[in-house]
Amino acid sequence: MKTLVSNAELEEVGESLIRAYIGSKEPPPNCVDIEGFIVDYLHLPIVYANIAEEDRDKIGFVSDGKYPLAVYEQQRKVKHIYPAGTIVIDRYLLRADKSGQRRFTLAHEAAHVIFERMSPTAAGPCFNRFFDKEQEYSIEELREHFNACETRTDRLASVLLMPRFMVEQTLQSFRQGQPIRRYGGTVMSRDDKLSVQKMADSIGASFSAFLIRLKELGFIEYRDISEYIAKEMAFGTEK
């Protein structure tokens, strides 16, 4: 089973949605109001609750109106069925130090809703609901399909939070449009690391999420590690 959705499609659809939401705002915002996008543009309600699922990694959820989500209410664990389309986010993400994680979780759940309308084989809000009645699938095939959908959803979430035009705008503001340099495969200078952190803060993303987005969009310039050793560390040179 294939998702039948390319990364190019995710980029185009995601950016077009954010452009439509932002409209003609001047000056254009530096950071996507992801909650506003979900509520005002996608018309999906957001609920913050104390999620009590056995899978402790479940910090976000899109309801299909049928699946009961375990939550804590008045110190009791109860099963609650939220109206279809409701995005439920774990309340602990409201902490100030969880802002980046909250924003990405919101974008991820919104991306699930959008992705379902793009792919005829997309996983549903709770489970992989697509099955070809003419074929039997192994557990491994279903797992691979679910992981593929999650990977695409993560990519779309990144586009919603960091569309190309906004990343370009941020690069222009902080670096006159110059790319980030990486030496070898992973090494960056101290100045470039600080630059990435400032840009990430400006756009409302974590350092790692913004760096991944720069790589996806081709805004990383790779150089030989020897240049880093010689210029940034000044080892091996004559004194």
Side-chain angles (χ1 to χ4, degrees):
M1 292 181 290
K2 297 181 179 180
T3 63
L4 304 180
V5 178
S6 68
N7 285 335
E9 287 179 276
L10 296 176
E11 291 284 343
E12 186 170 359
V13 169
E15 179 163 343
S16 296
L17 288 170
I18 295 301
R19 283 188 180 277
Y21 168 63
I22 292 175
S24 57
K25 291 180 182 179
E26 288 294 341
N30 297 323
C31 177
V32 174
D33 176 4
I34 192 63
E35 289 193 0
F37 171 72
I38 291 170
V39 175
D40 299 331
Y41 189 80
L42 299 183
H43 303 297
L44 301 174
I46 300 172
V47 173
Y48 288 93
N50 295 316
I51 296 177
E53 291 287 316
E54 291 183 7
D55 180 0
R56 296 186 178 183
D57 290 334
K58 184 174 286 185
I59 55 178
F61 174 81
V62 182
S63 177
D64 63 356
K66 300 176 182 178
Y67 179 79
L69 181 70
V71 298
Y72 288 112
E73 292 183 355
Q74 298 180 342
Q75 299 182 334
R76 292 176 56 246
K77 185 175 180 179
V78 299
K79 294 283 189 175
H80 192 90
I81 298 177
Y82 292 91
T86 301
I87 292 179
V88 185
I89 302 297
D90 198 299
R91 191 183 300 277
Y92 98 98
L93 291 182
L94 288 172
R95 288 169 36 179
D97 63 334
K98 298 296 181 181
S99 175
Q101 189 177 5
R102 180 178 72 253
R103 284 173 51 78
F104 190 84
T105 302
L106 284 163
H108 179 88
E109 301 309 325
H112 266 300
V113 177
I114 297 167
F115 187 69
E116 273 200 276
R117 300 192 184 189
M118 296 178 67
S119 173
T121 67
C126 309
F127 301 107
N128 184 336
R129 298 183 301 178
F130 175 80
F131 295 95
D132 184 340
K133 295 181 180 179
E134 301 301 321
Q135 182 176 345
E136 293 184 1
Y137 297 103
S138 67
I139 294 299
E140 185 60 33
E141 286 174 320
L142 292 176
R143 184 181 293 113
E144 288 179 1
H145 178 63
F146 178 79
N147 290 340
C149 288
E150 284 297 298
T151 298
R152 291 289 192 274
T153 302
D154 277 344
R155 178 65 177 262
L156 181 54
S158 294
V159 178
L160 296 176
L161 288 176
M162 299 169 280
R164 176 182 285 272
F165 73 90
M166 198 168 284
V167 174
E168 290 177 340
Q169 174 183 300
T170 303
L171 273 173
Q172 188 61 42
S173 297
F174 285 86
R175 297 178 59 85
Q176 292 76 51
Q178 295 301 307
I180 291 294
R181 294 159 295 187
R182 294 191 81 167
Y183 301 91
T186 61
V187 180
M188 287 190 295
S189 70
R190 291 175 298 177
D191 289 343
D192 276 9
K193 286 180 180 178
L194 289 174
S195 182
V196 170
Q197 186 62 69
K198 290 178 181 178
M199 290 189 290
D201 290 342
S202 174
I203 209 168
S206 67
F207 178 95
S208 58
F210 188 68
L211 190 59
I212 290 171
R213 189 70 179 129
L214 289 174
K215 182 178 180 180
E216 289 174 347
L217 295 175
F219 295 136
I220 301 290
E221 179 182 303
Y222 289 92
R223 299 189 178 186
D224 195 274
I225 189 65
S226 61
E227 183 179 343
Y228 176 82
I229 298 298
K231 293 185 178 180
E232 300 293 335
M233 306 189 79
F235 289 141
T237 57
E238 294 184 3
K239 297 183 179 180

